[in-house]
Amino acid sequence: MVIAHPRPQQRRPVLLRDVLRAAGLDVGLAADGPADLDVTGIAMDSRQVQPGDLYLAVGGAATHGANFAAQAAAAGAAVMVTDEAGAAILAADGRDPGLPVVVVAGDPRPAAGALAAAVYGRPSAGLTVVGITGTNGKTTMSFMIAAALRAAGERVGVRGERACHWPEPRSKLGPVYETSLYGTHFPHLHMRSRGGLSAIVARSPHSHSAT
């Protein structure tokens, strides 16, 4: 069964300025502006926003996330980070989006993984991470390596392109969760919080720049 991706149970406030800088998106904002706000989470879908989130509004296949700024604000987003296209949408709309807006140059989408890492405290640093890429066989290899590590007494989580398996007691793989396309919910944080020691990550070659 596939279950919706959970959020971290314990979240700490992080200064937005530090998050942007860590992701290479330092836009030189003045002191006492939006960059001095605290954020406690991150979301790219306005329907998944929780209070305190950084709402990352980028262009999608059918529409732009900036069109849903009001929904993100109503859900409690602390700030919206968007690109110049998103800023143009807000300007054309003419209405107050209801939350501070930070505009970065270029497409912030490739920085989503780095933003999430900064927000959630770089959880990968606490794990031994094994990365697997290639055209075919990634999932099979992931579970073969996970089985070998479990046999050696490791608590292992497996992160694939569509779902994650968390480390659980008795060396069993836990339930499966949907993974965000750009990793904004950062599965490694959950693996580490559940006592994981190792993470097996399978990614297709064309997705590397996105995470």
mmCIF file of all heavy atoms in Angstrom, residues 91-113:
data_model
loop_
_atom_site.group_PDB
_atom_site.id
_atom_site.type_symbol
_atom_site.label_atom_id
_atom_site.label_comp_id
_atom_site.label_asym_id
_atom_site.label_seq_id
_atom_site.Cartn_x
_atom_site.Cartn_y
_atom_site.Cartn_z
ATOM 1 N N ALA A 91 1.999 40.319 -10.170
ATOM 2 C CA ALA A 91 1.832 41.721 -10.568
ATOM 3 C C ALA A 91 0.612 41.900 -11.455
ATOM 4 O O ALA A 91 -0.133 42.881 -11.325
ATOM 5 C CB ALA A 91 3.097 42.193 -11.288
ATOM 6 N N ALA A 92 0.407 40.960 -12.368
ATOM 7 C CA ALA A 92 -0.743 41.050 -13.269
ATOM 8 C C ALA A 92 -2.054 40.870 -12.516
ATOM 9 O O ALA A 92 -3.078 41.473 -12.869
ATOM 10 C CB ALA A 92 -0.619 39.994 -14.372
ATOM 11 N N ASP A 93 -2.018 40.037 -11.478
ATOM 12 C CA ASP A 93 -3.230 39.784 -10.690
ATOM 13 C C ASP A 93 -3.619 41.037 -9.913
ATOM 14 O O ASP A 93 -4.807 41.342 -9.751
ATOM 15 C CB ASP A 93 -2.993 38.608 -9.748
ATOM 16 C CG ASP A 93 -4.227 38.256 -8.944
ATOM 17 O OD1 ASP A 93 -5.204 37.770 -9.542
ATOM 18 O OD2 ASP A 93 -4.216 38.480 -7.711
ATOM 19 N N GLY A 94 -2.614 41.746 -9.411
ATOM 20 C CA GLY A 94 -2.868 43.007 -8.730
ATOM 21 C C GLY A 94 -3.346 42.897 -7.306
ATOM 22 O O GLY A 94 -3.489 43.903 -6.610
ATOM 23 N N ARG A 95 -3.588 41.686 -6.833
ATOM 24 C CA ARG A 95 -4.068 41.513 -5.466
ATOM 25 C C ARG A 95 -2.911 41.145 -4.535
ATOM 26 O O ARG A 95 -1.932 40.554 -4.955
ATOM 27 C CB ARG A 95 -5.139 40.422 -5.405
ATOM 28 C CG ARG A 95 -6.457 40.811 -6.077
ATOM 29 C CD ARG A 95 -7.443 39.670 -6.035
ATOM 30 N NE ARG A 95 -6.981 38.535 -6.846
ATOM 31 C CZ ARG A 95 -7.673 37.399 -6.987
ATOM 32 N NH1 ARG A 95 -8.820 37.243 -6.359
ATOM 33 N NH2 ARG A 95 -7.204 36.435 -7.746
ATOM 34 N N ASP A 96 -3.088 41.483 -3.257
ATOM 35 C CA ASP A 96 -2.090 41.123 -2.251
ATOM 36 C C ASP A 96 -2.107 39.599 -2.099
ATOM 37 O O ASP A 96 -3.144 39.014 -1.793
ATOM 38 C CB ASP A 96 -2.450 41.788 -0.928
ATOM 39 C CG ASP A 96 -1.432 41.498 0.170
ATOM 40 O OD1 ASP A 96 -0.487 40.706 -0.075
ATOM 41 O OD2 ASP A 96 -1.594 42.047 1.272
ATOM 42 N N PRO A 97 -0.956 38.923 -2.327
ATOM 43 C CA PRO A 97 -0.957 37.460 -2.214
ATOM 44 C C PRO A 97 -1.169 36.963 -0.797
ATOM 45 O O PRO A 97 -1.438 35.772 -0.586
ATOM 46 C CB PRO A 97 0.432 37.079 -2.741
ATOM 47 C CG PRO A 97 1.261 38.287 -2.505
ATOM 48 C CD PRO A 97 0.339 39.460 -2.714
ATOM 49 N N GLY A 98 -1.038 37.860 0.179
ATOM 50 C CA GLY A 98 -1.313 37.460 1.548
ATOM 51 C C GLY A 98 -0.125 36.909 2.301
ATOM 52 O O GLY A 98 -0.267 36.459 3.441
ATOM 53 N N LEU A 99 1.066 36.956 1.691
ATOM 54 C CA LEU A 99 2.285 36.491 2.357
ATOM 55 C C LEU A 99 3.485 37.153 1.709
ATOM 56 O O LEU A 99 3.398 37.608 0.568
ATOM 57 C CB LEU A 99 2.397 34.967 2.290
ATOM 58 C CG LEU A 99 2.849 34.282 0.992
ATOM 59 C CD1 LEU A 99 3.079 32.799 1.219
ATOM 60 C CD2 LEU A 99 1.867 34.497 -0.132
ATOM 61 N N PRO A 100 4.603 37.241 2.429
ATOM 62 C CA PRO A 100 5.806 37.834 1.821
ATOM 63 C C PRO A 100 6.259 37.010 0.620
ATOM 64 O O PRO A 100 6.109 35.782 0.600
ATOM 65 C CB PRO A 100 6.835 37.770 2.957
ATOM 66 C CG PRO A 100 6.031 37.629 4.209
ATOM 67 C CD PRO A 100 4.807 36.858 3.833
ATOM 68 N N VAL A 101 6.836 37.690 -0.355
ATOM 69 C CA VAL A 101 7.283 37.023 -1.582
ATOM 70 C C VAL A 101 8.751 37.364 -1.818
ATOM 71 O O VAL A 101 9.145 38.533 -1.771
ATOM 72 C CB VAL A 101 6.448 37.459 -2.800
ATOM 73 C CG1 VAL A 101 6.980 36.803 -4.070
ATOM 74 C CG2 VAL A 101 4.980 37.114 -2.596
ATOM 75 N N VAL A 102 9.549 36.326 -2.076
ATOM 76 C CA VAL A 102 10.957 36.491 -2.431
ATOM 77 C C VAL A 102 11.127 35.998 -3.864
ATOM 78 O O VAL A 102 10.770 34.865 -4.187
ATOM 79 C CB VAL A 102 11.880 35.695 -1.488
ATOM 80 C CG1 VAL A 102 13.326 35.764 -1.967
ATOM 81 C CG2 VAL A 102 11.758 36.211 -0.060
ATOM 82 N N VAL A 103 11.651 36.860 -4.722
ATOM 83 C CA VAL A 103 11.842 36.536 -6.134
ATOM 84 C C VAL A 103 13.326 36.271 -6.389
ATOM 85 O O VAL A 103 14.175 37.087 -6.025
ATOM 86 C CB VAL A 103 11.346 37.666 -7.047
ATOM 87 C CG1 VAL A 103 11.530 37.294 -8.513
ATOM 88 C CG2 VAL A 103 9.878 37.982 -6.750
ATOM 89 N N VAL A 104 13.617 35.121 -6.987
ATOM 90 C CA VAL A 104 15.006 34.778 -7.303
ATOM 91 C C VAL A 104 15.180 34.767 -8.813
ATOM 92 O O VAL A 104 14.232 34.553 -9.565
ATOM 93 C CB VAL A 104 15.385 33.403 -6.715
ATOM 94 C CG1 VAL A 104 15.236 33.418 -5.208
ATOM 95 C CG2 VAL A 104 14.548 32.288 -7.314
ATOM 96 N N ALA A 105 16.393 34.994 -9.261
ATOM 97 C CA ALA A 105 16.683 34.972 -10.686
ATOM 98 C C ALA A 105 16.773 33.530 -11.172
ATOM 99 O O ALA A 105 17.285 32.665 -10.478
ATOM 100 C CB ALA A 105 17.993 35.703 -10.959
ATOM 101 N N GLY A 106 16.251 33.289 -12.359
ATOM 102 C CA GLY A 106 16.313 31.944 -12.919
ATOM 103 C C GLY A 106 15.256 31.029 -12.321
ATOM 104 O O GLY A 106 14.331 31.467 -11.627
ATOM 105 N N ASP A 107 15.402 29.747 -12.581
ATOM 106 C CA ASP A 107 14.440 28.745 -12.128
ATOM 107 C C ASP A 107 14.898 28.167 -10.794
ATOM 108 O O ASP A 107 15.949 27.529 -10.723
ATOM 109 C CB ASP A 107 14.346 27.631 -13.174
ATOM 110 C CG ASP A 107 13.321 26.571 -12.809
ATOM 111 O OD1 ASP A 107 12.596 26.753 -11.798
ATOM 112 O OD2 ASP A 107 13.232 25.548 -13.518
ATOM 113 N N PRO A 108 14.126 28.357 -9.707
ATOM 114 C CA PRO A 108 14.539 27.810 -8.408
ATOM 115 C C PRO A 108 14.266 26.319 -8.259
ATOM 116 O O PRO A 108 14.659 25.723 -7.256
ATOM 117 C CB PRO A 108 13.705 28.623 -7.412
ATOM 118 C CG PRO A 108 12.467 28.987 -8.175
ATOM 119 C CD PRO A 108 12.902 29.177 -9.609
ATOM 120 N N ARG A 109 13.608 25.712 -9.248
ATOM 121 C CA ARG A 109 13.242 24.299 -9.138
ATOM 122 C C ARG A 109 14.448 23.388 -8.868
ATOM 123 O O ARG A 109 14.384 22.528 -7.983
ATOM 124 C CB ARG A 109 12.515 23.844 -10.406
ATOM 125 C CG ARG A 109 12.030 22.408 -10.368
ATOM 126 C CD ARG A 109 11.602 21.960 -11.764
ATOM 127 N NE ARG A 109 10.593 22.851 -12.322
ATOM 128 C CZ ARG A 109 9.290 22.673 -12.189
ATOM 129 N NH1 ARG A 109 8.834 21.642 -11.527
ATOM 130 N NH2 ARG A 109 8.445 23.527 -12.727
ATOM 131 N N PRO A 110 15.575 23.539 -9.595
ATOM 132 C CA PRO A 110 16.700 22.644 -9.323
ATOM 133 C C PRO A 110 17.268 22.765 -7.913
ATOM 134 O O PRO A 110 17.969 21.862 -7.459
ATOM 135 C CB PRO A 110 17.744 23.066 -10.369
ATOM 136 C CG PRO A 110 16.939 23.686 -11.473
ATOM 137 C CD PRO A 110 15.822 24.395 -10.774
ATOM 138 N N ALA A 111 16.965 23.877 -7.237
ATOM 139 C CA ALA A 111 17.478 24.072 -5.880
ATOM 140 C C ALA A 111 16.545 23.532 -4.812
ATOM 141 O O ALA A 111 16.832 23.656 -3.620
ATOM 142 C CB ALA A 111 17.724 25.558 -5.632
ATOM 143 N N ALA A 112 15.426 22.904 -5.206
ATOM 144 C CA ALA A 112 14.431 22.452 -4.231
ATOM 145 C C ALA A 112 15.025 21.463 -3.234
ATOM 146 O O ALA A 112 14.752 21.533 -2.029
ATOM 147 C CB ALA A 112 13.234 21.824 -4.949
ATOM 148 N N GLY A 113 15.825 20.529 -3.708
ATOM 149 C CA GLY A 113 16.431 19.561 -2.800
ATOM 150 C C GLY A 113 17.358 20.225 -1.798
ATOM 151 O O GLY A 113 17.354 19.896 -0.606
#
